[in-house]
Amino acid sequence: MPRLVDLLSAPGLDTLRPLAGPLDATEVTGIRLEPRADGLATVPAGTVAVLLAPVPDHLLDVAVRDAAAAGAAALVLPSAEQVAGDIAIHTLAERGRIAVLTTDGDLAALVVAVDRAVAGDSADALARIGAAARELPSAAGDPERAATIAARLLGTPVERRAAGPGEEGATAAGPDGEVRLAAAAQPGHPGTAIRSVLALAALTAVGGGHGDVPVRSRGHLLAELLVAPQDQTARLAARGRTIGLPVDGRHIALRIEAAALPAADRYRLLDTVLPRTLADVRQHADGHVPDGVHWNAALVDDALVLLGTWPTDPGAPGRRTALALARRAVDRLRRLHPEADLRGGVGAPHRGPLGIRTSAREARAALLKPAGADTAPVTAHDAAGLDRMLLEWYASDTAREAVDELLAPVTELGPDRADPLLRTLQAYLDHNNSPARAAEKLHLHRNAVGARIRRITDLTGADLTDPETRLALQLACRARQSAPPGPA
């Protein structure tokens, strides 16, 4: 029998989100819908028990204990909110060796998917092959990504090498040579799924075997367009037009920092989370997502950049759609990876090839706002206010030189020592030279703020009682915070 961690890769089970407890402790024997929590004590061992009604907070620990005592493999709750931050539930789940999960998917489909995956029959094999046929084309020409997708769909490692004894393998020839994929052999219908998915993945890895331009090619070009020197924009834009990248529309960029995620999960973000999220946004957008809108994605500097392109000015509805997409994507990723503290930034609409770079730069600038207790998971660039003016001003060589010269006595201390001083200086100036209000903003004692300000004035020789000096330093701190360090 498979364990829960193996089932999560099966088609139809990607709506399950782990909340607490181990995923590999117990073999799964089936699934059962429970209308009441008091029925959990009698579920068969190995069951995935799905509660249909919320459990009162004071009885949640009882429900987890009862399910664990019965030997259930997992308990699926209607809501994740009760478990978030509840240390007692996490402790009970770990001690009871039971996984606690939630889902926002259709329960009937969930029951079918679990039964199919547990049985490992022909229906499960066909479902995995069908999922591969839908998802693999997005990795055309990218062997590493094709292997990653195949491994996720099969629930077993897939490696780029020739198959050895006791393994299944697939080989395909492409313009850059042969691609070989291997995975452990399994008997019966699971083995059929492995052989079929490996064959599809190998063909995909060498280009897909058809004349259509793969989505991945547009993703590679988008990434190149975002990081290449600006004088190469025209050349790259011309290439984009030939492969269907809509460089001449009006663009809104979303950026999600993904460095804290493993590489396989970043690809999963591209392959599954974002397409489902975009479908949700379309369903709830009240007609604000016209058919002419195109979406392309790229991984740039360990971050995901998603570009929405409108044929005309997207206006307020388009900006709302972009924000909704970013919020849903970040929310889903945070639930899948609560330890990563993921955040998203949204740029303003801009036109043409240079507009792609500008909106992506603004999305990155929005993410650079200091995180804190009151920081939203998704931050939109201030398209009409000071942040935008500062970003445009700081783009000039003269402005950067002036800022660097003004702050040099502090920045020369190195990032670890300079950054706390500059954050303190900005908070102090933003709050009209008030140590108390700056301390409240930074969660510091006011004496610490005073000591840091004295250190800054000693280093710079600045007279913070002079209005012009205060303004110059305030603009320098804000510009340095708002501007991204790289090209996109």
Side-chain angles (χ1 to χ4, degrees):
M1 290 292 178
R3 297 182 185 273
L4 186 63
V5 67
D6 303 317
L7 293 188
L8 291 179
S9 66
L13 295 181
D14 52 3
T15 62
L16 283 172
R17 299 191 302 277
L19 301 175
L23 299 177
D24 58 352
T26 306
E27 292 183 343
V28 178
T29 59
I31 186 169
R32 178 164 163 176
L33 302 180
E34 281 294 336
R36 294 168 53 90
D38 55 13
L40 293 172
T42 60
V43 299
T47 296
V48 175
V50 182
L51 273 177
L52 300 181
V55 182
D57 289 345
H58 67 284
L59 294 178
L60 183 59
D61 57 342
V62 177
V64 175
R65 284 196 188 95
D66 285 349
L75 175 62
V76 181
L77 301 174
S79 170
E81 295 178 359
Q82 289 177 291
V83 178
D86 192 327
I87 298 176
I89 296 302
H90 284 262
T91 302
L92 283 173
E94 290 292 338
R95 289 177 178 173
R97 309 294 289 162
I98 183 172
V100 181
L101 308 98
T102 188
T103 181
D104 56 5
D106 178 75
L107 294 184
L110 179 65
V111 170
V112 172
V114 171
D115 282 340
R116 184 177 62 210
V118 168
D121 56 12
S122 59
D124 178 61
L126 285 173
R128 293 178 188 269
I129 295 168
R134 290 191 300 273
E135 295 189 31
L136 280 169
S138 67
D142 190 335
E144 290 293 342
R145 191 173 174 212
T148 299
I149 294 173
R152 173 169 54 79
L153 294 176
L154 292 171
T156 191
V158 173
E159 299 181 9
R160 286 189 59 196
R161 57 175 175 78
E167 294 182 324
E168 300 286 357
T171 303
D176 298 322
E178 284 190 339
V179 172
R180 296 182 176 90
L181 299 177
Q186 293 186 29
H189 296 297
T192 300
I194 289 174
R195 289 189 293 273
S196 300
V197 173
L198 285 182
L200 287 171
L203 283 173
T204 296
V206 298
H210 56 73
D212 294 337
V213 177
V215 172
R216 189 62 177 161
S217 297
R218 292 195 290 272
H220 280 307
L221 183 60
L222 175 58
E224 191 175 355
L225 184 62
L226 290 172
V227 301
Q230 187 167 317
D231 58 9
Q232 297 184 26
T233 300
R235 176 182 62 83
L236 294 171
R239 283 178 51 195
R241 295 183 187 100
T242 65
I243 64 171
L245 184 67
V247 297
D248 298 309
R250 289 168 171 82
H251 314 285
I252 297 179
L254 321 178
R255 182 182 177 95
I256 300 174
E257 294 293 348
L261 299 180
D265 289 316
R266 294 178 213 154
Y267 287 130
R268 182 185 181 192
L269 174 61
L270 286 171
D271 299 329
T272 58
V273 175
L274 284 171
R276 289 203 313 270
T277 303
L278 181 56
D280 288 349
V281 172
R282 286 185 178 276
Q283 182 178 354
H284 298 96
D286 299 327
H288 293 322
V289 187
D291 293 335
V293 177
H294 297 276
W295 298 90
N296 289 279
L299 286 170
V300 181
D301 299 330
D302 293 331
L304 176 87
V305 176
L306 182 68
L307 189 73
T309 303
W310 278 253
T312 59
D313 185 358
R319 290 191 289 272
R320 286 196 297 269
T321 296
L323 272 171
L325 177 60
R327 285 168 179 155
R328 285 175 182 262
V330 170
D331 180 61
R332 277 187 169 156
L333 282 171
R334 281 188 158 199
R335 287 179 292 185
L336 288 169
H337 302 278
E339 75 288 350
D341 191 25
L342 297 167
R343 297 174 62 211
V346 182
H350 293 277
R351 183 177 181 177
L354 289 176
I356 295 174
R357 299 166 64 95
T358 302
S359 190
R361 188 166 62 244
E362 291 176 346
R364 186 172 186 175
L367 275 169
L368 291 175
K369 295 179 179 179
D374 57 348
T375 303
V378 175
T379 309
H381 181 69
D382 182 8
L386 181 61
D387 283 347
R388 181 171 182 175
M389 289 188 288
L390 283 172
L391 188 62
E392 293 174 356
W393 170 68
Y394 194 65
S396 73
D397 292 338
T398 303
R400 283 197 300 273
E401 289 173 3
V403 169
D404 291 345
E405 181 178 348
L406 187 61
L407 300 179
V410 180
T411 57
E412 286 172 356
L413 298 174
D416 290 344
R417 297 170 64 190
D419 288 348
L421 291 176
L422 292 176
R423 286 197 299 270
T424 304
L425 176 60
Q426 181 177 335
Y428 179 76
L429 296 172
D430 285 349
H431 291 87
N432 199 26
N433 289 20
S434 170
R437 294 176 63 191
E440 182 180 353
K441 172 69 176 178
L442 298 171
H443 305 291
L444 294 172
H445 193 279
R446 60 178 297 168
N447 290 344
V449 171
R452 290 183 181 182
I453 295 301
R454 286 192 297 273
R455 174 67 169 151
I456 292 167
T457 56
D458 288 344
L459 289 168
T460 63
D463 179 6
L464 298 186
T465 64
D466 178 57
E468 291 186 3
T469 301
R470 289 202 309 270
L471 177 60
L473 286 169
Q474 190 173 21
L475 288 174
C477 289
R478 281 183 170 268
R480 187 174 180 273
Q481 170 193 306
S482 298

